[in-house]
Amino acid sequence: MGVTREEAISGQLDKVLWNAFFTHCESKFPPDTLFRLSRLREIADLRYPAEWNPSARLMKRKIIMHVGPTNSGKTHHALLRLQAAESGAYLSPLRLLAHEVFERMNDAGTSCNLVTGEERRYGVFNAEGKPEPRAAKVTSCTIEMVDLNKKIEVAVVDEIQMLADPDRGWAWTHALLSLPAQEIHLCGEPTVVNLVKNICKLTNEEVEVHEYNRLSKLEVKDTSLYGDLSKIQKGDCVVTFSRKNIFLLKKAIEAETNLRCAVAYGSLPPESRSTQAKLFNDPNSGYDVLVASDAIGMGLNLNIRRIIFEAVEKYDGSNVRALSLTQLKQIAGRAGRFGTDYAVGQATTLVQNDIPPLKRALAAPMIEIQRAAIQPTAEMLEQFSHQMPGAPFSHVLKTFERMSRNSDLFFSGLFRNMISTAEILDKVKLTIRERIPFISAPIQARDPIVVEASLKMAQAVSQSKPLAVDAVVQLPTKDSNQELNLDLRVLESSHRVIMLYLWLRYVTQAIGRRGVFFVFLPWARLMKSKEKATIAHFICFVIHCTCDLTYLCNGSLWCFVERSLVVNTALD
């Protein structure tokens, strides 16, 4: 029995051996054991995902692809069609993009709601000022939050190449197969066109492809900065790949050039990233340079003159590896923006040795994506677990992964994160229906503060007891005379806990646990009309102050908090 290189690399050897063992021993099992194992294999059969949503199969859907490089206008054209639709949805890879489209649609006169794991905002209100969620024509949402049961006219799925992502790709695959929309517009890279066509053959749907060229020119320089930070100029973006390097470079650049630097990186909360991007884009803000990680590759509109790679390799958690072609092209492609002062973008490196690999990568053709991620439905996991009574849920997931079967077009995604989260919560008494939302929640297993908070939230659900947000994250009180803790990592963790709290608040309501989570703000009780506001803006503001190496006294900080509580989104 052959093992493909891809399967071996992705750690699927044990799965291959399990299936070989089962096939070999099938005729030797006792009848009752064979029946149970056959039932498990039947439930774990993921070869026919096109059959999982019959309502979508009953529709005659039109699939339209908009493909091209960064800054080619592909998403813009798809959104114009959504804007004219009577009903529709925008499926975003990031909360930042979902917010941007929400604002764009409403500003253009197309009523739009916002739905993310952490937040709900509405585009239509009645005479009494109360939201009317059903009245909006369009919903802008993160892709995992799309309603696959609501029939609509137009859906726009952004960054469709993400369907190959091992952790989140399942959401793009499920959207492609299950969206009940008359028109589905897929925006992304050309590398995914053939895979989408092959997947759509399973649904007997044709694919129409629109190709776009880059609107602004991109030049790759022959020479680097030769390590001289004094050569950095206004409009430059220096890309590096660790929080430590970002702040070291920020400090060094500001010392060498007298230019102020904004920062953007993955673990910085989206709201803070957006604020930093606006400072960089504003020519009058005093922030002339951006120091960022590969987080700028998606989700931020940036007016960048030149991308400067501090390195063309990064540490991925276990090894130092070269950046992929997709990463290099996507990051370098952020330089230059049609309709701005930087119509011609430039890309270079900090050291000369990195110029040849950068030039080779940007000149190389993109590698076609061969397979899409797939994830079992909640119903499948629940049925599978019932066949293994008493087994820890992490063991159930490991067994499902080993026994699952996929076609050549798909691979099983997300199990790594699901299993690590399930192991954290194995000792908490929860029903299977309660566990499934937790294993899909944004729980970072490597962050001890988030892990501790997630256990408290799971215990609250288990015991059906209300849980206040200040029971899982330490918040300052308005009358506190103590200095605020400006440790950046603690603040980032606190923001993750708050986002997890809000995410689980909505999901636990959906499974009938309304009231288990509720927002409790020590200072909001003193401001009656503001008590429904969240605290995420407060944490983001403190992080922004820390990034700017600025300290504000408690009095000034609380003035900001009181203002931000008014404008932040109300929780229902």
Side-chain angles (χ1 to χ4, degrees), residues 499-556:
M499 293 298 99
L500 174 62
Y501 182 96
L502 294 174
W503 194 94
L504 286 170
R505 177 180 182 273
Y506 287 114
V507 174
T508 53
Q509 287 180 2
I511 63 171
R513 289 291 197 174
R514 180 174 292 275
V516 172
F517 291 89
F518 66 94
V519 174
F520 171 78
L521 302 177
W523 56 81
R525 291 185 300 173
L526 304 176
M527 299 178 289
K528 297 179 181 178
S529 64
K530 307 163 190 176
E531 62 187 0
K532 290 186 177 181
T534 73
I535 59 174
H537 274 58
F538 166 72
I539 295 293
C540 291
F541 175 72
V542 179
I543 291 175
H544 167 65
C545 292
T546 310
C547 293
D548 193 30
L549 305 179
T550 303
Y551 180 79
L552 295 184
C553 67
N554 283 349
S556 299

Side-chain angles (χ1 to χ4, degrees), residues 183-194:
E183 288 181 26
I184 300 178
H185 294 255
L186 309 174
C187 306
E189 297 175 358
T191 55
V192 78
V193 170
N194 287 334

